Amino acid sequence: MSDMNDDVFDEEALPDEEFALELLEEELRRATAILDPVPPALRQIAVEAFALHDLDSRIAELTFDSVVDALPVRGATGAPRMLTFHAGEVTVDVELTPQGLMGQVLPPQSARVEVLSGPQAGSPLTIDDMGRFTYETSPSGPFALRLRTGEGVVVTDWLTV
């Protein structure tokens, strides 16, 4: 029969092992900084992307994407991409076309909408009384929408066009 203390973790070895791992991690960090440094342009993009992050924002999840969820129609080409996002009581419907995007915030409310695509936030879009907005340029690459309402900030999932 084995001694019950054999199954107990040796607590005295833990600090030495953690110290050794911390030293190894620090050596690897220094070697990486010398041998494979992060390019300054990439570091700047990361800093700017973090600046776009709203810590208090709610994420509007993608609940419908016509590319994934819709039934294909034979012979239909160039159909707009339809997207629906939900965050609590707020719904954002978006239609993407080569000419730009159109959307609607439901329930209709006063909000400021920005198209995020890259490190810089887009200029605020005008929303009418029915919650509709348009953006004259079709996003290329990853993009998201940020809505600033009286109740807070809502950011959609990022999508790639």
Side-chain angles (χ1 to χ4, degrees):
M1 182 171 243
S2 68
D3 189 337
M4 290 180 65
N5 291 333
D6 290 345
D7 296 334
V8 176
F9 186 74
D10 185 5
E11 292 181 16
E12 290 182 25
L14 182 62
D16 291 338
E17 188 175 313
E18 282 185 16
F19 182 71
L21 288 175
E22 288 175 10
L23 285 177
L24 176 61
E25 181 180 355
E26 183 59 30
E27 284 184 46
L28 290 173
R29 191 180 316 276
R30 286 185 199 156
T32 302
I34 293 169
L35 299 173
D36 190 18
V38 175
L42 182 59
R43 183 182 304 272
Q44 183 63 31
I45 288 172
V47 168
E48 290 170 352
F50 185 76
L52 291 177
H53 184 70
D54 289 308
L55 296 177
D56 297 332
S57 66
R58 292 182 296 155
I59 302 297
E61 294 184 49
L62 180 66
T63 57
F64 176 82
D65 184 347
S66 62
V67 171
V68 177
D69 301 318
L71 295 173
V73 177
R74 184 171 30 159
T77 58
R81 184 175 180 182
M82 308 298 291
L83 306 165
T84 301
F85 300 92
H86 287 285
E89 298 297 318
V90 177
T91 300
V92 182
D93 289 321
V94 178
E95 178 179 318
L96 290 170
T97 66
Q99 292 76 33
L101 66 82
M102 295 180 290
Q104 184 173 19
V105 178
L106 297 170
Q109 57 190 287
S110 175
R112 191 174 83 194
V113 177
E114 298 168 274
V115 178
L116 308 175
S117 59
Q120 302 299 324
S123 55
L125 305 177
T126 305
I127 295 182
D128 68 13
D129 294 338
M130 301 206 39
R132 298 175 297 193
F133 59 91
T134 58
Y135 185 65
E136 301 299 324
T137 306
S138 185
S140 60
F143 82 97
L145 300 176
R146 178 170 41 205
L147 290 81
R148 295 183 189 276
T149 68
E151 298 173 8
V153 178
V154 175
V155 178
T156 65
D157 283 336
W158 284 81
L159 291 172
T160 301
V161 181

